[in-house]
Amino acid sequence: MNRSRAIESGFSLIELLVGLAIGAIGLLVVSQAFVIADGQKRRTSSGADSQTTGVLSTFILERDIRQAGYGITDGPILGCTALAVDKAVDATTTMQIDLAPVRIIAGAGSAPDTIRVSYSTSESRLIPAQLTSPNNGNNANYKVNSRAGFCPGDVTLLAEEGNPYCVIAQVTGIPGTPGQTDNIIHNPGNYDSDCGAGPKVDDQYNPPGGVTFPPAATDTNFGVGTSLYNLGALPITNTYAIQNAALTLNNTPIAENVVNLKGWFGKDTNNDGVVDTFDKVTPTTPAGWRQIRTLRFATVIRGQAQENTLVTPATLPLWSGTGAPTITLSDAERRYRYRVYQTTVPLRNLFWANPS
């Protein structure tokens, strides 16, 4: 009887407590291991995502910046203010369009910069035609020495050395009738698309009466020899900015977790062929543009994982070396890890047009 009771007896209270303690310790060890492993996994995946984002955003920016100024780096264009009426925006008001090959709109302090890139899309003519008859920029046709490479629908820019204003119009006809073979027509109305072989399309840049010059303009007439440039059917202006922790192209997000963008012009101020100055000042004259050789930019990529402690210094250098620019991070921002990608892009179209 006593033996049976001994066999049927269960765990004592002390044994249960010891078992619970051992189980709790085991659970704590497993949980801690899981937390550490999960944190390492999130940091690893976050770092991989940051690397992919950094490489992609740098590639997109670099590729576009290399195009900067294509077809718009000739002397008369650099620094001129383009006058145009864009019917897609306002059919009556003359706008002043920025045709700078590349412009840096600097953010204050650690705030991101905005980089704007412009270039022609002409595939057939980069050398400008020359006026053979004076023009006030609003006449219905341009008389030129050569029409090679111009097609209906192409956007043109009339620019004269020394004149601070240039005029945008759109080709609507290349007549082949006798007495008209030196004319490029830019009347309001429609034109045959696809270089004359496609359906008719309404023009976008030819308002009745032409553009309106600013009251301060002292020269509204373009003489013989004025350059007429072909900007192609769709000249490009791309604006890169940081919005809501994303790199945007013309206000459309293209890369997430890009939290800063900074740019600097590399200038050869003494014309010895070597960049000696970096700054953010966009030139306003042809002489100033001839000093620019490169554009250096840096993108800052933030990891997705937020840490429990401050893991990033208060100041983040944008490249290595003494005197490198930095951005300042708040305590909340320092709980993330960052990667900085920077490169220097030669502005080849400016260099080829203005070798020193």
Side-chain angles (χ1 to χ4, degrees), residues 11-335:
F11 293 106
S12 67
L13 179 60
I14 294 176
E15 291 173 326
L16 286 173
L17 291 175
V18 171
L20 288 173
I22 294 174
I25 293 172
L27 181 61
L28 179 62
V29 171
V30 172
S31 299
Q32 188 67 21
F34 176 80
V35 170
I36 294 174
D38 184 64
Q40 291 176 340
K41 176 184 176 182
R42 287 189 295 114
R43 281 192 291 271
T44 301
S45 61
S46 177
D49 290 343
S50 297
Q51 183 171 354
T52 301
T53 299
V55 171
L56 176 63
S57 58
T58 301
F59 171 75
I60 292 173
L61 271 162
E62 181 177 357
R63 183 182 63 178
D64 217 24
I65 291 170
R66 286 182 183 275
Q67 288 288 94
Y70 173 74
I72 56 172
T73 55
D74 206 27
I77 298 180
L78 289 174
C80 83
T81 299
L83 305 177
V85 174
D86 187 347
K87 296 178 182 178
V89 178
D90 187 331
T92 59
T93 302
T94 298
M95 300 184 299
Q96 297 187 20
I97 298 177
D98 180 14
L99 276 183
V102 59
R103 180 178 293 277
I104 300 171
I105 304 169
S110 296
D113 295 344
T114 297
I115 297 178
R116 182 175 298 150
V117 181
S118 298
Y119 48 90
S120 163
T121 57
S122 176
E123 298 179 355
S124 55
R125 182 170 188 130
L126 295 180
I127 300 174
Q130 307 293 319
L131 292 187
T132 59
S133 179
N135 192 291
N136 66 1
N138 294 325
N139 294 352
N141 62 77
Y142 296 132
K143 288 188 175 295
V144 295
N145 63 341
S146 172
R147 303 187 306 182
F150 287 92
C151 284
D154 286 345
V155 177
T156 65
L157 182 72
L158 189 64
E160 184 178 31
E161 191 76 49
N163 192 334
Y165 297 100
C166 39
V167 175
I168 286 178
Q170 190 169 18
V171 179
T172 54
I174 307 289
T177 55
Q180 298 286 313
T181 55
D182 61 346
N183 282 349
I184 294 178
I185 308 298
H186 56 97
N187 274 323
N190 53 41
Y191 61 90
D192 295 321
S193 59
D194 196 17
C195 204
K200 290 190 178 299
V201 178
D202 290 335
D203 83 276
Q204 186 174 345
Y205 298 103
N206 300 333
V211 300
T212 302
F213 280 82
T218 58
D219 187 358
T220 60
N221 193 59
F222 297 87
V224 173
T226 296
S227 298
L228 182 67
Y229 297 87
N230 186 350
L231 303 185
L234 187 65
I236 299 295
T237 295
N238 285 334
T239 301
Y240 295 90
I242 303 298
Q243 299 176 13
N244 300 319
L247 177 66
T248 63
L249 169 57
N250 299 332
N251 297 318
T252 300
I254 58 174
E256 296 181 347
N257 295 315
V258 184
V259 295
N260 215 316
L261 170 65
K262 290 290 188 180
W264 300 264
F265 289 116
K267 299 179 179 179
D268 174 17
T269 59
N270 57 6
N271 297 319
D272 65 350
V274 179
V275 171
D276 51 61
T277 300
F278 284 95
D279 63 37
K280 297 175 180 288
V281 181
T282 301
T284 58
T285 64
W289 280 109
R290 293 187 185 103
Q291 294 181 344
I292 291 184
R293 289 293 177 261
T294 65
L295 188 140
R296 190 174 199 172
F297 71 88
T299 56
V300 180
I301 317 301
R302 185 180 67 193
Q304 297 180 5
Q306 185 178 21
E307 306 290 343
N308 295 324
T309 59
L310 303 180
V311 293
T312 300
T315 56
L316 189 66
L318 298 183
W319 62 72
S320 60
T322 304
T326 62
I327 60 173
T328 302
L329 302 175
S330 67
D331 284 349
E333 292 170 330
R334 293 174 62 192
R335 293 181 183 275

